[in-house]
Amino acid sequence: MTADTVKKYLSRIVISASVFIMLAIHTSGHVNWSIITKVENYLYDLRLLMTMEQSVDQRVVIIDIDEKSLTAQGQWPWSRDKLATLINTLFDHYQIRSIGFDAVFAEASSTNSLSTLQYLFDQGIISQSELENLTLDLDNDQKFSEALIARDAVMGFVFKHSTYDQQQNGELPIPLAPIDLLKDVKSDLYHGTGYAGNLPILQQATGYGGFFDYIRDDETLRKVPLIQYFEEGIYPSLAFELARVSLDLPSIEFQLSGNIHSPTRSLEYIKLGDYRIPVDQTGSIYVPFRGRQGSFAYISATDVITHSVPLEQLNNKIALLGTSASGLLDLRSTPVGKSYIGVEVHANIVSAILEQRFKHAPGYRLAIELLSLFVLGLLMTFIFPFLQSVGAAVFLIVLSALYTTLNFYFWHWQNLILTLAPPLFFILISGFLHLNYNFFVEQKNKRRLSKVFSQYIPHELVTDFDTNQAEMSLAGENRIMSVLFTDVRNFTNMSEKMTPTELTILMNEFLTPITHSIHQQKGTIDKYMGDAVMAFWGAPINDEEHAAHAIYAALDIIQQMDKLTREFAAKDWPEIKVGIGIASGEMSVGNMGSEFRIAYTVMGDTVNLGSRLEGITKVYGVDIIVSESTKLAAPQFLYRTVDKVKVKGKDLPVTIFEPLGEITQLERLWAEHIAKYEAALELYWQMQFSDAQQAFANLHQTHPCKLTEIYLERCALYHTSPPQSPWDGSFTHTSK
């Protein structure tokens, strides 16, 4: 094997290893690449939608507090005696197996009636026996609790998870088990800092309870905890406890990975008698959606109360009391629907426990995923680089299809959740890098960059890239940059008085120093447009100080033009005055054009604003105008506020400024004047035109300029003819 072959293989190994490391640290959880996570979530949702049963489970029903029920029975929450009637009807008339409440009853019922009875007793109007009998009739919480006694009813409660919210309201049920059973993995589990429980009289009546606060790391609900711990106890979710009660309270067992001597153990399964539920290390499951919304029968609560439901629809069924009413906002974003009714999430989990229908992401899947990436890396390193273009494309497609098929096999037939996005990203990224290795690294890179960049940017920057590998790109993209426009004032009149030869010499005389000033500040010349120049900073080389460099270049251009004017006077040539506009912000940059001709240029609203600012410099009699975003990005300069304007093409007002120079050089000389000027301008914007006019008049006496003349004229005009209210203080420019 020759040295060149070894070097070639080594380069390929470096490419594959780099991509492997990048994706391995994501897969292992050390770094989260958001784009990979988003794609993985999308592929998870796609696999779920493709393989759902899409059937209705007849064993689980939802007692729905729907719009019909709210209309018939009144707004939620209902009185506790009405809830007692509902529960008694469900168990006595329809003989349901069990019920879970997707709600918390944390507060006592209104005690106005009881207070009235006490008052009547105190006044001697009713007797002690009458007080006791009437109290029993009117105590709705007591009625509700009596309806729950000896019934398989699971109360819902909510855990809090903020160290700033540790309140404990109401009462929790008896824990499922002591936390000591899971002391080896306690740190992995979700745990509550506080809770919102039910009234003691209600919680004690049934004894069963489960949380329905589903913690999630993403806006879309894919995983939910099956257990959490609080203080010294382990507590079940509402769905888990409802399934346990419905199965006649089988024994519970927590199964951990490895053995008691393993240094790292994690929770893998929770057993309910003969039922085994796979969980991850946090005690969470992937929600086993049966289908889209409507996979369970919804029965209106008011129809239950009025006995309008056939017996067979509820007999021996597991029920969940929840709401589909839009006003109660129990909606979740899920893979199977963006506005999914929350109570149906619990129903899916209960159904899956009964059917043993769960997808599992075991702890050992990390080893499988890393091994998959390693095997793909070997294939990409030793096979792919030696294929021709068509063969390489076919290889990528076939390899992606084979891995996707294998992943789908484990998903559908083995119920294993293995990540799909990282391997596909590996194939795509490493394939792209290998395919372009020779072109970008070995053969074309330096020659292409040196030839192309030298047309756009100073030679020194091209040299810097060749020697130091500075970061630059010609690809189209959006960047935060600064753009500068310069234009010679009255150039048309000047050119009409000169011969073509003189005009050419004149343009070369002033375009050369302008270009030099831009290149000196590492700017990129976009184009020459007659006597005008367009330049930008921030591409192709990233420039964190793009705004400052643009202003330094503008100030230097003004100095060079003043120097040039003195030289032109000796030749009896006209005076050169330029206007400069600078804007900063997001713009599109890259090679743009057609198949016949392209140019490396910038486009966007920020570019248009820069052109408009240059055009209005002559209106205000200033040499340079910059946008507010430029001012904020370059705080080392002293600025004078020029105006709030609506330039052509813009509906919203833009505050514009004149940079005077570096603060360290000018602040002592200009501080007092700028303070007075800004105070006068504030009076103007507050529509105090008389006071503003006096302030500008005082300024004009000491520092006469066109800008103060403009505001004196406006104040005089607005003093007699005020602008319509509301007024944002802006002035509209209708021309460039």
Side-chain angles (χ1 to χ4, degrees):
M1 186 177 293
T2 65
D4 289 341
T5 303
V6 172
K7 183 178 179 180
K8 180 170 63 175
Y9 273 116
L10 185 61
S11 299
R12 303 297 187 180
I13 291 172
V14 168
I15 291 174
S16 295
S18 299
V19 181
F20 173 82
I21 292 171
M22 180 187 75
L23 293 171
I25 61 177
H26 169 86
T27 301
S28 61
H30 291 88
V31 172
N32 180 32
W33 305 107
S34 60
I35 180 63
I36 300 178
T37 300
K38 289 180 181 178
V39 173
E40 181 61 39
N41 287 339
Y42 171 79
L43 294 174
Y44 172 88
D45 297 348
L46 184 62
R47 284 173 286 176
L48 178 65
L49 291 169
M50 290 173 59
T51 56
M52 291 189 305
E53 291 191 9
Q54 299 287 7
S55 61
V56 177
D57 189 342
Q58 302 294 338
R59 293 166 300 180
V60 182
V61 298
I62 295 172
I63 309 301
D64 190 10
I65 311 296
D66 56 2
E67 301 290 351
K68 177 182 178 181
S69 298
L70 296 178
T71 301
Q73 304 295 333
Q75 293 300 309
W76 183 264
W78 291 343
S79 62
R80 302 288 163 80
D81 60 330
K82 188 172 294 184
L83 290 170
T85 300
L86 176 64
I87 297 304
N88 287 328
T89 302
L90 285 169
F91 281 97
D92 296 338
H93 180 70
Y94 289 104
Q95 297 184 353
I96 64 171
R97 187 192 306 183
S98 56
I99 188 170
F101 292 91
D102 186 19
V104 179
F105 304 100
E107 298 176 353
S109 299
S110 173
T111 58
N112 290 338
S113 298
L114 298 178
S115 299
T116 302
L117 287 178
Q118 185 64 44
Y119 174 78
L120 294 175
F121 174 75
D122 293 340
Q123 297 297 316
I125 299 175
I126 61 176
S127 65
Q128 178 69 38
S129 60
E130 290 174 322
L131 174 65
E132 293 174 353
N133 291 333
L134 290 173
T135 297
L136 290 175
D137 290 338
L138 295 176
D139 191 345
N140 293 332
D141 287 335
Q142 181 67 32
K143 292 179 181 178
F144 189 23
S145 69
E146 290 174 355
L148 296 172
I149 293 174
R151 299 278 173 69
D152 286 342
V154 181
M155 309 302 292
F157 63 89
V158 174
F159 276 129
K160 301 174 182 180
H161 300 91
S162 170
T163 55
Y164 302 103
D165 188 1
Q166 301 184 22
Q167 290 186 346
Q168 301 178 16
N169 301 318
E171 184 171 302
L172 291 179
I174 298 172
L176 192 66
I179 191 58
D180 287 344
L181 286 179
L182 295 176
K183 61 182 179 180
D184 292 340
V185 297
K186 175 182 176 181
S187 60
D188 294 331
L189 302 177
Y190 292 112
H191 67 279
T193 58
Y195 62 84
N198 294 279
L199 287 173
I201 190 176
L202 302 179
Q203 185 59 69
Q204 293 168 10
T206 174
Y208 307 124
F211 62 83
F212 57 84
D213 52 297
Y214 284 157
I215 305 164
R216 55 179 186 255
D217 299 325
D218 190 78
E219 292 182 357
T220 302
L221 187 70
R222 296 182 179 88
K223 289 177 64 178
V224 297
L226 210 59
I227 58 172
Q228 296 186 59
Y229 77 88
F230 177 75
E231 294 181 347
E232 299 303 318
I234 301 172
Y235 292 87
S237 71
L238 175 64
F240 181 81
E241 182 70 354
L242 182 58
R244 188 175 78 94
V245 170
S246 303
L247 293 171
D248 297 326
L249 305 175
S251 60
I252 299 173
E253 181 182 349
F254 300 102
Q255 294 185 348
L256 306 183
S257 62
N259 55 58
I260 58 174
H261 302 295
S262 299
T264 56
R265 306 186 72 190
S266 62
L267 184 61
E268 281 200 337
Y269 293 95
I270 300 176
K271 291 190 66 178
L272 277 178
D274 295 331
Y275 294 84
R276 193 165 74 155
I277 307 168
V279 295
D280 67 8
Q281 70 273 14
T282 68
S284 299
I285 59 169
Y286 285 87
V287 179
F289 290 101
R290 188 179 193 87
R292 296 187 181 274
Q293 188 168 293
S295 298
F296 303 89
Y298 281 76
I299 298 176
S300 180
T302 190
D303 289 342
V304 175
I305 294 174
T306 58
H307 294 205
S308 301
V309 183
L311 285 173
E312 62 272 13
Q313 289 191 20
L314 286 170
N315 183 253
N316 201 36
K317 300 297 174 66
I318 301 172
L320 277 155
L321 179 68
T323 178
S324 67
S326 57
L328 299 181
L329 299 177
D330 185 24
L331 302 176
R332 314 288 176 90
S333 176
T334 69
V336 298
K338 295 303 179 184
S339 298
Y340 194 85
I341 297 174
V343 68
E344 196 164 336
V345 175
H346 312 313
N348 275 286
I349 298 172
V350 173
S351 172
I353 291 175
L354 299 178
E355 296 178 349
Q356 291 290 273
R357 177 175 45 83
F358 288 98
K359 304 293 182 187
H360 189 200
Y364 60 80
R365 79 166 183 171
L366 176 60
I368 297 176
E369 292 165 352
L370 293 178
L371 179 62
S372 300
L373 290 176
F374 181 75
V375 172
L376 290 173
L378 293 178
L379 294 174
M380 297 300 294
T381 300
F382 296 103
I383 297 178
F384 179 78
F386 303 99
L387 300 175
Q388 297 299 319
S389 298
V390 175
V394 172
F395 180 78
L396 284 178
I397 294 172
V398 171
L399 191 60
S400 300
L402 285 175
Y403 188 85
T404 301
T405 301
L406 185 63
N407 183 283
F408 190 79
Y409 166 79
F410 282 108
W411 167 280
H412 190 55
W413 280 276
Q414 301 299 322
N415 288 318
L416 284 179
I417 303 174
L418 301 177
T419 56
L420 182 55
L424 294 181
F425 267 93
F426 184 91
I427 295 171
L428 178 65
I429 296 172
S430 61
F432 174 82
L433 293 177
H434 284 297
L435 188 64
N436 292 279
Y437 174 75
N438 288 334
F439 178 76
F440 284 104
V441 179
E442 293 180 350
Q443 299 178 10
K444 303 291 184 180
N445 196 34
K446 288 188 177 180
R447 184 168 65 251
R448 182 181 67 89
L449 290 173
S450 297
K451 180 180 178 180
V452 175
F453 284 140
S454 61
Q455 302 176 36
Y456 301 131
I457 61 177
H459 176 72
E460 301 85 83
L461 293 183
V462 178
T463 303
D464 182 61
F465 174 77
D466 286 338
T467 56
N468 301 322
Q469 296 294 296
E471 182 180 346
M472 59 172 68
S473 171
L474 287 179
E477 60 183 317
N478 287 341
R479 286 193 186 184
I480 303 298
M481 301 167 54
S482 292
V483 64
L484 175 148
F485 288 84
T486 74
D487 196 12
V488 177
R489 295 174 183 167
N490 300 319
F491 184 77
T492 302
N493 294 334
M494 292 164 50
S495 62
E496 291 174 351
K497 300 174 184 179
M498 306 181 73
T499 66
T501 301
E502 291 175 331
L503 184 60
T504 300
I505 296 173
L506 175 67
M507 291 183 62
N508 288 338
E509 287 285 340
F510 67 78
L511 288 177
T512 297
I514 290 175
T515 302
H516 179 72
S517 296
I518 292 170
H519 278 182
Q520 196 173 38
Q521 294 299 327
K522 301 182 180 180
T524 300
I525 299 292
D526 186 292
K527 59 177 69 75
Y528 298 100
M529 301 166 288
D531 60 307
V533 179
M534 174 182 171
F536 53 83
W537 282 258
I541 294 179
N542 287 321
D543 185 357
E544 297 296 330
E545 297 182 15
H546 52 85
H549 287 153
I551 294 177
Y552 277 125
L555 293 171
D556 190 59
I557 289 171
I558 298 302
Q559 290 183 2
Q560 296 300 322
M561 293 303 100
D562 290 341
K563 179 181 176 182
L564 204 60
T565 294
R566 293 192 294 270
E567 296 176 3
F568 281 10
K571 301 178 182 180
D572 200 25
W573 281 6
E575 179 185 18
I576 298 295
K577 296 291 290 183
V578 299
I580 302 175
I582 301 174
S584 302
E586 187 177 73
M587 56 191 80
S588 298
V589 59
N591 274 326
M592 303 177 190
S594 67
E595 63 179 295
F596 303 104
R597 183 176 181 180
I598 62 173
Y600 189 68
T601 187
V602 290
M603 299 177 65
D605 286 342
T606 303
V607 180
N608 297 334
L609 176 60
S611 177
R612 300 292 186 261
L613 296 183
E614 176 276 312
I616 62 175
T617 54
K618 54 181 174 290
V619 175
Y620 294 97
V622 297
D623 296 322
I624 308 169
I625 290 181
V626 304
S627 67
E628 186 173 11
S629 56
T630 304
K631 172 182 177 292
L632 294 174
Q636 62 266 53
F637 295 96
L638 182 66
Y639 298 87
R640 176 169 61 169
T641 307
V642 176
D643 202 356
K644 288 181 183 178
V645 298
K646 291 181 181 177
V647 297
K648 186 177 181 181
K650 287 282 188 179
D651 295 326
L652 297 176
V654 178
T655 306
I656 57 177
F657 303 85
E658 177 192 13
L660 302 175
E662 288 186 281
I663 291 178
T664 55
Q665 298 178 6
L666 299 178
E667 187 174 29
R668 186 167 58 87
L669 299 175
W670 282 84
E672 182 178 354
H673 173 75
I674 293 298
K676 291 180 179 179
Y677 172 82
E678 298 290 346
L681 193 60
E682 188 64 27
L683 291 172
Y684 168 79
W685 283 337
Q686 293 176 2
M687 301 179 69
Q688 300 179 30
F689 298 116
S690 179
D691 294 340
Q693 185 176 15
Q694 182 60 49
F696 281 120
N698 294 336
L699 286 169
H700 194 65
Q701 288 180 357
T702 57
H703 294 81
C705 64
K706 186 174 181 179
L707 193 55
T708 52
E709 289 180 359
I710 290 173
Y711 281 107
L712 284 171
E713 292 175 2
R714 289 189 194 174
C715 288
L717 174 64
Y718 289 153
H719 182 66
T720 55
S721 301
Q724 292 184 352
S725 182
W727 182 57
D728 59 9
S730 66
F731 184 83
T732 302
H733 289 274
T734 57
S735 62
K736 178 185 173 184

